[in-house]
Amino acid sequence: MGLSCSAGGEIPTQGRLGAPLTRRRTSGSVVSMIEISALTKRYGRTTAVSDLTFTVQPGVVTGFLGPNGAGKSTTMRMILGLDEPTSGSVTVNGRPPRAHAAPLRELGGMLDPRAVHPSRSAYHHLLALAQTSGIRRSRVDEVIDAVGLRSVAGRRAGGFSLGMGQRLGIAAALLGDPATVVLDEPVNGLDVEGIRWIRALLQDLAARGKTVFVSSHLMSEIAQTATHLIVIGRGELIADTSVADFIATAAPPPVRVRSSDQDTLVTARWPCPACPPRRSARPRPPPGSPCSSSPPGRRRWRTPSLT
């Protein structure tokens, strides 16, 4: 499912990522950031997003974490100006997303990498976006090289794998050298090398002063990519904190057990030896075993009291 070198897509090197793909904003310009205040979105009787308030700062990768159906994509659609909020407000670089005269130069986003004309080549897809936004033609070649699609740039986008489609979507998001980048599940469909590449790219964008907002439903991925974290569930804000603080708060505290009777302590750590293995379907402990008195569905061997 992932993209590999043999599939026709190049893996960019770190040196290529250091090329002038993006530029720092000149001093005196509006600080690039995303500001969300009391944001709510309803579809009929269904509330997808409820009273969200947070700020995405420039210079760091901010992760947007939540389970599927939590409201992440809906929030991102409002940030990109694709949906109007029911109430509340969204500003990107100091203005509502639809108020920017050159939106691709202010805000680049990827929600659905398959949102391309299937018969159009990757190059001509990006060229069409560039020409309708006043972006120089040479920029198309720059982003194609940066995302590793040079060898397949002339192929029909409709025949791309999921990973190659992700790369094309990221290229479109970076086409206008925007101050703010919003990516929905950017590692989806990428292989191991592709995941390493996207992590390096996001960190490079943040180091250049960009505002980088990336969603995922996997904490393991966000922890290796982001510095700050926004967590939502059922459309409501759960946490707005650093990744390090969130992990420290969510992780259970360590417990150290000491005993003068080491044999009893070691025995207490292991499952009851008299019970069947866990792979058995609804195992019933034999009579007289230490866990035979536990109720169904909660059979755990009782730990002997240590004195």
Side-chain angles (χ1 to χ4, degrees), residues 34 165 177 191 204 210 249 263:
I34 301 170
D177 190 14
D191 61 8
D204 177 72
K210 306 290 186 181
T249 302
D263 292 338

Side-chain angles (χ1 to χ4, degrees), residues 134-249:
I135 299 171
R136 54 188 168 86
R137 180 186 290 260
S138 61
R139 178 63 178 173
V140 175
D141 292 307
E142 291 177 8
V143 295
I144 285 176
D145 288 334
V147 302
L149 290 179
R150 171 57 61 191
S151 61
V152 296
R155 285 175 46 182
R156 293 172 56 252
F160 278 7
S161 67
L162 179 57
M164 293 167 68
Q166 289 287 101
R167 290 173 181 268
L168 181 57
I170 293 169
L174 300 179
L175 187 61
D177 190 14
T180 300
V181 179
V182 176
L183 303 176
D184 190 10
E185 306 271 3
V187 302
N188 188 25
L190 296 178
D191 61 8
V192 175
E193 290 297 327
I195 291 173
R196 290 174 182 162
W197 165 74
I198 190 63
R199 289 174 184 167
L201 175 63
L202 296 175
Q203 292 165 3
D204 177 72
L205 292 171
R208 294 173 183 269
K210 306 290 186 181
T211 301
V212 184
F213 194 42
V214 184
S215 76
S216 178
H217 62 277
L218 300 174
M219 182 62 202
S220 58
E221 177 56 36
I222 288 293
Q224 298 183 66
T225 305
T227 303
H228 198 79
L229 188 63
I230 305 294
V231 185
I232 66 171
R234 297 184 178 180
E236 299 181 353
L237 184 66
I238 295 176
D240 181 355
T241 183
S242 69
V243 172
D245 288 345
F246 183 79
I247 293 175
T249 302

Side-chain angles (χ1 to χ4, degrees), residues 4-66:
S4 63
C5 292
S6 60
E10 304 172 46
I11 301 297
T13 63
Q14 186 63 35
R16 287 170 61 183
L17 288 175
L21 175 62
T22 59
R23 303 184 302 273
R24 289 185 182 275
R25 289 211 142 191
T26 58
S27 59
S29 59
V30 176
V31 176
S32 57
M33 67 172 63
I34 301 170
E35 295 177 291
I36 290 179
S37 178
L39 189 66
T40 298
K41 180 63 177 178
R42 298 187 184 92
Y43 297 97
R45 296 183 178 180
T46 301
T47 301
V49 174
S50 178
D51 198 30
L52 283 184
T53 299
F54 61 84
T55 299
V56 183
Q57 300 285 351
V60 297
V61 179
T62 300
F64 195 29
L65 184 67

Side-chain angles (χ1 to χ4, degrees), residues 120 123-133 140 175:
R120 184 174 290 168
Y123 178 84
H124 284 99
H125 168 69
L126 296 173
L127 182 61
L129 293 176
Q131 290 182 333
T132 55
S133 301
V140 175
L175 187 61

Side-chain angles (χ1 to χ4, degrees), residues 88-120:
S89 65
V90 178
T91 59
V92 178
N93 308 339
R95 295 182 178 182
R98 296 186 181 182
H100 291 290
L104 287 185
R105 298 182 183 274
E106 297 288 341
L107 176 61
M110 181 193 70
L111 296 182
D112 183 5
R114 299 286 186 177
V116 299
H117 194 296
S119 297
R120 184 174 290 168

